């Protein structure tokens, strides 16, 4: 079962973006949630996920 944890929060003018780390048995991926709902995902690094979230603002 995957463990999910919010590792970074980016605030935009109208939205809140959260970078969520999903740790599984064999891999770790990062996804971007916008206002609590899945928005973009499956980034292999935290830096790439944060960059994607900042580009949305």
């Amino acid at each position: 079962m995957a463990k999910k944890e919010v590792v970074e929060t980016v605030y935009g003018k109208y939205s809140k973006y959260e970078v969520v780390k999903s740790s599984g048995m064999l891999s770790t991926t990062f996804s971007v949630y916008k206002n609590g709902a899945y928005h973009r995902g499956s980034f292999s690094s935290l830096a790439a996920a944060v960059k994607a979230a900042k580009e949305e603002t």
Side-chain angles (χ1 to χ4, degrees):
M1 187 157 141
K3 178 181 172 190
K4 295 186 178 189
E5 171 186 6
V6 175
V7 292
E8 185 80 27
T9 303
V10 178
Y11 294 95
K13 189 171 183 178
Y14 300 108
S15 301
K16 178 174 85 169
Y17 298 90
E18 296 175 321
V19 177
V20 177
K21 176 182 176 184
S22 299
S23 300
M25 217 170 172
L26 300 175
S27 66
T28 299
T29 59
F30 298 90
S31 302
V32 178
Y33 283 70
K34 179 180 178 181
N35 297 326
Y38 175 80
H39 182 62
R40 296 176 70 182
S42 199
F43 296 97
S44 60
S45 71
L46 176 60
V50 170
K51 181 180 176 186
K54 287 184 177 180
E55 287 175 353
E56 295 285 331
T57 59

